[in-house]
Amino acid sequence: MAVLRRILLLGHTHHDVGYTNSPRIIDDAHRNIVGEVVRLAEANPDFRWTFEVARPVLRFLAEAPAAEVEALARLHDEGRISVTGGYLNNTTLPSEVELDAAYEQLQRMREAGLEVRTEQHGDVNGIPWGAVEGMARAGISRLVMALNPDHGRPPFTQPSGFWWEGVSGARVFVWLSTHYGFGEEWGIVDADVALARRRIEEFVEQLSARDDYPFDTALVHAGNDNRWPTALFLEVVRDWNAAHPELPMETTTIDAALDVLEEQGRGADLPVVRGEWSDWWSHGHGSTAREVAVYREARSFTRAAQTSLALTTLRGDGEPKLATVLGYRRGPVRLRDDDEVQQTLAAVDEQLLLFGEHTWGSWETYSKPFSNLSHSHWNAKAGMAYSAYDLARDLAIEGMFRVAASGSGDPAEREGVLVLNPSERERTEPVTVEVRGGAKVRTVATVPAFGAALLPTPAPAQPRTGRTIELGSYRVEVDPARGGVVSLVDVRTGAELVDSAAAHGLGSVVVESVVAGSEHPMLTRNPKDFHPDFPGPDFDRLPATGDAEPELLEGDGYAQLRWTTTPPGLPPAVTTLTVHRDTDLVDLEVALQKPEAFGPESIFVAFPFATADPEFLLETAGAVFAAESEQLPDTSKDWYSIQHAIGVHGDGPGVLWGTVDAPLVQLGGFHTGEWARTLTTERGHINSWLMNNFHFTNFQARQEGTRVYRYRFAASPAVSRESVRLFGRDLAEPLQARHYEGPAFEGGSGLRVDAMDAVVAELRPLGGGAVRVRLRNVGAEAAEATVGWSGDASVDGGGTVGVPGHGVTDLVLRRRDV
């Protein structure tokens, strides 16, 4: 039995970028909340407040008068205000690169005298395993998760404390708090003292009855969605203390509260858990498939822009071929200076993080999908993805033209397919480019590390009919009547990659719908009842089929099979599978037309690999985890939101599989509505969950997403965590290619990164002739890496450095004459 000695009341507002109003309104309102909190704290000595996320404080520091910033710092020093380290209440969409960009901004808070020790989240049901490493690098040692139990389960009883161990062995103390919304539900934020006293008494009684609560302190939230701060909760404190002098209540900040709880936790036998905090709410990513794909493409353009502009910084600007017309398919008409490049990169970082935040719609998006608020809200949210895409794509194209003409030489003007490699390894990969007239052509490029190649422009392939192809590593057979590929043999080993017992072929589009006449409570009572307490409903799952003969295209170094099938209730879909002569990569694309529809349904693309008794290794932000065995208890096993890559190995062929556009997957079969506590998989099936509509608020009520969805996979005899990370990195940072006319260097750029196989390098220009080289170790063993420069320009920096397992080391190179 727990013995409670005090209650700490935590004043904060839950930070939604939207939900209660348009994001255009809410984002500025949260910045203004900071100033209001300063005023309330100065007027009320007992007032304590915590800023749940960092973004509004960062904006305040940049925009507020110096006197107000000084007041915030003074109140923080007095222990009356806490700031936290999470940029926003993020989903699992952001990668480690975006998370690092967010954590780096905390230095601005520290420079202002604000100590950051804690990260706090509300609502979200999960957070990627690699966040532990990110927090450790950012100097954050505690995490608060005031998660919302709707559509999911907490890993332990709320509230609880435990230690979360990262992939490297680093640990953070986690306070799994109650749902933050109790602050309003219990009448605390509105000073309904009678209701508040009754509900807190019930809470205290429940905690006191627990044998697994080794704390003498109860933490109670005084906040809710986007609540404007007031001091009304001080009336609740006064009322409680008058009624319960034996159990005093006081206001607190999150840092002060965790100082108490963490210290008590160190003296208790708290659980230590390792693995992914797999997010039950991530199914919402499938409510807006098109925009999520745009967001992911924007990330790739961002990384390409950073690399090309960093290489240009080191090599020196030449004479890029400039356009005379502003146009989407043309090159730049002018070149940004250093300040403009930094401003654009910062703007892209901001928009990517805003889109990766957990608020997908308004409070009435599901109940009133046609309201102006619902449409306005989604317009603003989607605009974050498209803003990031527009800016990043434009900067990446400028970077390509600049690096092509860079260096001290005078490269001749040439025409062809220009391909840039943004990574530290030589790569051989297929690329697709648009040529004059809008036609797309394909070729396979081999490009040196941080280098360029200019290839002849290939002619478009001419189609004929056929069902089988054999080229390079594979022999393939497709049967449209079964929806997709029925045989894919690795000719090097003779292994069959496709499970012949599957109900459909590889690449099949599968439509999932609720069985007619279902009386599941999510349909008859409340869509909120799509929930672990109500397993189901039952589903029909029907693959698309077709009877038209497939097309076969044979190009320079590649061969394609293209077939048309009709998913039940949808227009025809066109699927294309490509194999290559000089690489074992297999590309699959699905051109899907999905008209707007309401009501629960799902669209999958199926990959029934033949591996038996599989282990699935999934790429999350900053880590790879084994599904089932490396997850926190009761986290999502019905579905997962990954970064890009999955490794499948077991009895039979190993496979590295990746998704370019769509992060959601179900493993080993279809699991929608099972709410399983254990993932049971007999075969290595990966089902890409493109779209779904199983929501009750926030996410979009309509499901649509017409576009091409892209996948890549390869047979692999040795699937490892490192190979999964590298496969995912290459999908996130693909070779950049375009049809190009102008000056172009070929070969290496001069930058050399020599490292063990597990170290990857990321470049970012810093301005003033400086380039950051971030060395990221994707393996468990410490490694050494040597960064050198052999170009014509004079560059300082580089050398040999150690990179700890799963760690990050930065070097700065600087061009001398800048």
Side-chain angles (χ1 to χ4, degrees):
M1 304 285 284
V3 178
L4 298 181
R5 304 185 187 280
R6 63 184 149 187
I7 299 173
L8 299 178
L9 192 69
L10 179 69
H12 67 106
T13 187
H14 172 59
H15 192 116
D16 288 315
V17 183
Y19 195 66
T20 59
N21 206 331
S22 166
R24 301 180 183 92
I25 304 298
I26 294 299
D27 194 45
D28 287 338
H30 276 289
R31 177 257 178 254
N32 294 331
I33 279 174
V34 182
E36 180 66 12
V37 165
V38 169
R39 289 185 284 275
L40 287 169
E42 290 183 318
N44 298 274
D46 294 330
F47 182 87
R48 303 288 183 271
W49 193 264
T50 295
F51 293 105
E52 188 182 79
V53 298
R55 176 172 168 79
V57 179
L58 290 165
R59 288 195 59 194
F60 182 83
L61 294 177
E63 300 168 9
E68 292 188 26
V69 172
E70 291 170 4
L72 175 66
R74 174 175 46 80
L75 291 164
H76 171 271
D77 289 344
E78 294 171 0
R80 298 168 62 193
I81 288 177
S82 279
V83 297
T84 57
Y87 185 76
L88 291 165
N89 289 304
N90 281 325
T91 66
T92 52
L93 284 177
S95 73
E96 60 195 335
V97 176
E98 287 97 76
L99 294 179
D100 282 353
Y103 286 132
E104 286 161 8
Q105 296 191 51
L106 300 183
Q107 183 60 27
R108 291 164 49 199
M109 294 165 71
R110 294 184 170 118
E111 290 169 355
L114 305 175
E115 186 180 26
V116 188
R117 296 186 289 146
T118 306
E119 185 164 330
Q120 181 173 341
H121 287 289
D123 253 6
V124 291
N125 269 243
I127 185 171
W129 193 11
V132 178
E133 319 302 324
M135 283 186 277
R137 290 194 294 270
I140 297 168
S141 61
R142 297 101 66 91
L143 171 67
V144 178
M145 292 285 280
L147 63 79
N148 187 328
D150 291 331
H151 280 210
R153 300 188 188 99
F156 298 99
T157 302
Q158 296 174 258
S160 289
F162 63 91
W163 299 98
W164 189 14
E165 187 172 273
V167 64
S168 72
R171 291 182 182 179
V172 295
F173 174 71
V174 179
W175 184 252
L176 177 59
S177 199
T178 59
H179 180 25
Y180 67 86
F182 290 165
E184 184 171 275
E185 183 182 326
W186 293 1
I188 297 170
V189 294
D190 293 318
D192 186 340
V193 294
L195 175 61
R197 190 195 318 163
R198 184 172 71 253
R199 297 305 297 271
I200 296 172
E201 287 171 344
E202 293 169 355
F203 179 56
V204 167
E205 182 179 357
Q206 292 166 4
L207 280 184
S208 299
R210 284 176 55 181
D211 293 327
D212 63 343
Y213 190 81
F215 306 94
D216 68 7
T217 302
L219 181 65
V220 176
H221 289 262
N224 205 11
D225 299 339
N226 297 332
R227 285 296 301 235
W228 188 255
T230 73
L232 290 174
F233 56 76
L234 297 179
E235 298 180 27
V236 173
V237 176
R238 288 189 285 267
D239 175 80
W240 176 271
N241 286 333
H244 293 283
E246 79 288 356
L247 185 61
M249 178 188 292
E250 61 184 87
T251 55
T252 189
T253 67
I254 197 61
D255 281 334
L258 287 202
D259 286 345
V260 171
L261 294 166
E262 182 182 7
E263 181 63 28
Q264 293 183 8
R266 291 186 184 280
D269 186 22
L270 295 184
V272 178
V273 293
R274 283 177 55 87
E276 179 81 350
W277 199 327
S278 184
D279 184 7
W280 284 108
W281 278 20
S282 66
H283 66 314
H285 303 162
S287 69
T288 55
R290 181 194 295 111
E291 289 78 11
V292 168
V294 169
Y295 156 81
R296 288 162 70 90
E297 197 167 356
R299 299 192 311 185
S300 295
F301 277 130
T302 304
R303 299 185 197 182
Q306 291 179 180
T307 301
S308 58
L309 290 168
L311 293 174
T312 302
T313 297
L314 298 175
R315 289 172 56 83
D317 264 324
E319 295 292 334
K321 184 173 182 178
L322 298 179
T324 56
V325 176
L326 290 164
Y328 181 76
R329 290 180 172 84
R330 293 178 171 88
V333 300
R334 56 177 292 276
L335 306 181
R336 295 168 173 88
D337 61 25
D338 276 356
D339 287 344
E340 290 176 297
V341 167
Q342 296 304 310
Q343 290 166 8
T344 304
L345 288 174
V348 173
D349 287 343
E350 178 183 52
Q351 294 302 309
L352 289 174
L353 288 166
L354 283 166
F355 187 80
E357 194 266 351
H358 78 298
T359 313
W360 239 240
S362 75
W363 67 273
E364 64 179 31
T365 289
Y366 204 85
S367 59
K368 300 177 181 178
F370 301 111
S371 74
N372 283 344
L373 175 58
S374 295
H375 281 268
S376 172
H377 193 295
W378 179 239
N379 178 274
K381 173 73 174 183
M384 298 164 186
Y386 285 106
S387 292
Y389 173 87
D390 288 343
L391 293 171
R393 180 187 178 279
D394 195 54
L395 195 60
I397 291 173
E398 178 181 329
M400 177 172 275
F401 275 76
R402 290 176 73 161
V403 75
S406 65
S408 59
D410 185 18
E413 289 209 6
R414 292 180 290 169
E415 179 273 336
V417 176
L418 177 64
V419 188
L420 299 180
N421 180 353
S423 62
E424 73 295 325
R425 291 165 171 77
E426 179 181 274
R427 286 162 63 177
T428 298
E429 291 176 14
V431 295
T432 301
V433 297
E434 188 176 282
V435 295
R436 293 187 187 94
K440 288 188 175 181
V441 297
R442 188 179 186 90
T443 190
V444 177
T446 297
V447 191
F450 293 126
L454 190 71
L455 309 178
T457 304
Q462 299 302 312
R464 58 184 175 85
T465 59
R467 291 179 173 237
T468 62
I469 51 175
E470 182 170 343
L471 183 68
S473 301
Y474 303 105
R475 183 173 62 252
V476 187
E477 179 183 356
V478 66
D479 182 1
R482 293 195 57 207
V485 175
V486 293
S487 177
L488 199 161
V489 176
D490 182 348
V491 297
R492 299 165 297 182
T493 64
E496 172 63 70
L497 271 63
V498 177
D499 181 4
S500 61
H504 41 261
L506 183 147
S508 294
V509 177
V510 178
V511 176
E512 178 181 72
S513 58
V514 178
V515 170
S518 173
E519 296 184 357
H520 191 276
M522 69 168 286
L523 301 169
T524 60
R525 185 173 59 192
N526 190 328
K528 198 172 185 176
D529 290 336
F530 183 66
H531 188 273
D533 291 344
F534 305 98
D538 294 328
F539 294 98
D540 288 322
R541 297 182 178 108
L542 301 175
T545 60
D547 55 13
E549 197 65 16
E551 288 184 343
L552 191 155
L553 297 88
E554 294 176 297
D556 183 15
Y558 73 92
Q560 290 182 332
L561 282 168
R562 181 175 299 152
W563 63 97
T564 300
T565 56
T566 301
L570 300 181
V574 178
T575 305
T576 304
L577 180 138
T578 309
V579 294
H580 310 89
R581 182 182 59 228
D582 299 325
T583 174
D584 62 357
L585 298 173
V586 181
D587 285 343
L588 187 135
E589 298 181 347
V590 179
L592 186 70
Q593 300 178 57
K594 178 61 178 70
E596 178 178 280
F598 296 83
E601 58 174 345
S602 295
I603 311 292
F604 294 89
V605 178
F607 294 84
F609 294 119
T611 310
D613 298 321
E615 180 181 58
F616 294 92
L617 298 177
L618 276 61
E619 182 197 15
T620 187
V624 169
F625 70 97
E628 171 63 34
S629 63
E630 290 182 317
Q631 292 183 235
L632 272 61
D634 270 347
T635 55
S636 177
K637 297 174 182 178
D638 286 7
W639 53 76
Y640 300 88
S641 183
I642 66 167
Q643 283 298 308
H644 287 89
I646 296 177
V648 187
H649 66 121
D651 182 8
V655 177
L656 290 170
W657 177 92
T659 171
V660 178
D661 304 295
L664 286 174
V665 294
Q666 297 186 14
L667 303 179
F670 298 97
H671 302 294
T672 315
E674 291 181 1
W675 307 104
R677 286 194 149 98
T678 301
L679 176 66
T680 302
T681 58
E682 296 180 357
R683 310 295 275 182
H685 295 197
I686 298 173
N687 291 319
S688 173
W689 200 13
L690 279 185
M691 306 174 202
N692 75 86
N693 203 5
F694 295 98
H695 319 293
F696 68 93
T697 188
N698 191 23
F699 298 113
Q700 296 302 296
R702 63 182 57 81
Q703 183 187 175
E704 47 94 22
T706 300
R707 67 170 284 142
V708 175
Y709 298 93
R710 298 163 292 172
Y711 305 91
R712 175 169 287 173
F713 61 91
S716 176
V719 173
S720 67
R721 295 166 195 272
E722 290 82 1
S723 67
V724 171
R725 286 288 297 274
L726 290 171
F727 198 77
R729 190 286 303 268
D730 288 353
L731 282 172
E733 300 180 30
L735 298 183
Q736 295 293 298
R738 72 177 281 133
H739 184 240
Y740 175 83
E741 294 180 62
F745 87 93
E746 286 195 88
S749 62
L751 178 64
R752 186 183 70 259
V753 177
D754 298 322
M756 295 173 62
D757 288 344
V759 175
V760 299
E762 301 159 7
L763 308 184
R764 182 161 179 141
L766 302 178
V771 168
R772 184 187 71 196
V773 182
R774 172 155 293 169
L775 302 167
R776 194 182 299 275
N777 191 342
V778 302
E781 301 298 324
E784 283 193 344
T786 300
V787 178
W789 177 256
S790 57
D792 294 336
S794 296
V795 172
D796 293 327
T800 299
V801 295
V803 190
H806 301 294
V808 171
T809 300
D810 288 347
L811 286 174
V812 175
L813 302 180
R814 189 177 300 275
R815 187 178 163 100
R816 287 182 193 167
D817 57 356
V818 175

